[in-house]
Amino acid sequence: MTGSPLTHYAALTETLAAYQSDYRDALGHWRNLETKAQATVAVTGIFIAAALPVVRDLKAGTTLWIRVPLLLAALALVMAVVFAVLALRIRLVARPPSGKDLLGLVQDLFREPAASDMVLASRNFLRDRIRTWEAAVDERLRTNDHKATRLRSAQYSLLGAIAILCTITAGTIVHPPPIDTTLSSARGVTHAVQEIWMPTGCDNR
């Protein structure tokens, strides 16, 4: 069953508008993922800055149940940074049709001499535009999937590091080490907090 040319043209126009809306939604999702990846890098950096003084103040007699989890936490933090940076990596993707591309399609459209051919040419014009927008949408969605996968891995790594550090803290509270080790770790944590909120060289006046 065939419809009128006007019906075909309206259907193609609606399809084109839907692809353009899909691209705007995908681009908005990409920006949200970009923001979350940047936040993940920042939060991971804070945890690394807080962990370094504690590691530096570890004594030779520190038990393995503290050293091994700290090593695992450090590895998890490094993985979080790596995955987040990979999520921020610039990728070349198909762009939506530009004004120059549209001008070429319009010029091809008006090369049709006969009025009877103009209807078919107009529909082909819309089909060409739909194909270019479809390619742009598909490429953007694939990019978003890759970015989301790497961001998810970064967040899981960060959560793993937090869980390990919380486990160490809980274990220290339940089974406190000797007083000198406890004081050394406390000094390390205090120093880390001071470095985060008041870096060295800043005047607190």
Side-chain angles (χ1 to χ4, degrees), residues 1-16 102 105-106 108-110 112 114-132:
M1 179 178 180
T2 60
S4 66
L6 183 60
T7 303
H8 290 165
Y9 190 86
L12 290 172
T13 302
E14 185 175 351
T15 302
L16 176 61
L102 185 58
L105 294 176
V106 171
D108 292 338
L109 172 64
F110 286 104
E112 297 294 338
S116 59
D117 295 332
M118 184 59 67
V119 175
L120 178 60
S122 298
R123 283 187 287 182
N124 289 336
F125 168 74
L126 282 178
R127 289 191 182 97
D128 290 338
R129 293 188 64 192
I130 288 172
R131 278 192 291 268
T132 55

Side-chain angles (χ1 to χ4, degrees), residues 49-50 53 187-199:
R187 285 196 298 270
V189 173
T190 303
H191 176 73
V193 173
Q194 290 175 347
E195 284 295 321
I196 293 174
W197 293 107
M198 189 173 58

Side-chain angles (χ1 to χ4, degrees), residues 13-126:
T13 302
E14 185 175 351
T15 302
L16 176 61
Y19 272 115
Q20 291 172 336
S21 178
D22 289 343
Y23 185 84
R24 286 191 295 268
D25 292 342
L27 186 59
H29 186 208
W30 179 88
R31 289 170 178 163
N32 290 335
L33 292 172
E34 193 83 357
T35 301
K36 291 179 181 179
Q38 293 172 357
T40 302
V41 172
V43 172
T44 306
I46 293 175
F47 275 93
I48 292 175
L52 285 178
V54 177
V55 174
R56 186 171 57 243
D57 290 342
L58 286 177
K59 293 185 177 297
T62 305
T63 58
L64 285 178
W65 79 266
I66 291 181
R67 288 182 176 274
V68 173
L70 279 178
L71 176 62
L72 295 177
L75 292 176
L77 290 174
V78 171
M79 291 175 60
V81 172
V82 170
F83 282 123
V85 170
L86 288 176
L88 291 170
R89 186 171 65 91
I90 298 175
R91 294 172 58 92
L92 297 178
V93 297
R95 57 178 176 78
S98 63
K100 186 176 181 180
D101 298 330
L102 185 58
L103 177 61
L105 294 176
V106 171
Q107 289 174 344
D108 292 338
L109 172 64
F110 286 104
R111 287 195 183 100
E112 297 294 338
S116 59
D117 295 332
M118 184 59 67
V119 175
L120 178 60
S122 298
R123 283 187 287 182
N124 289 336
F125 168 74
L126 282 178

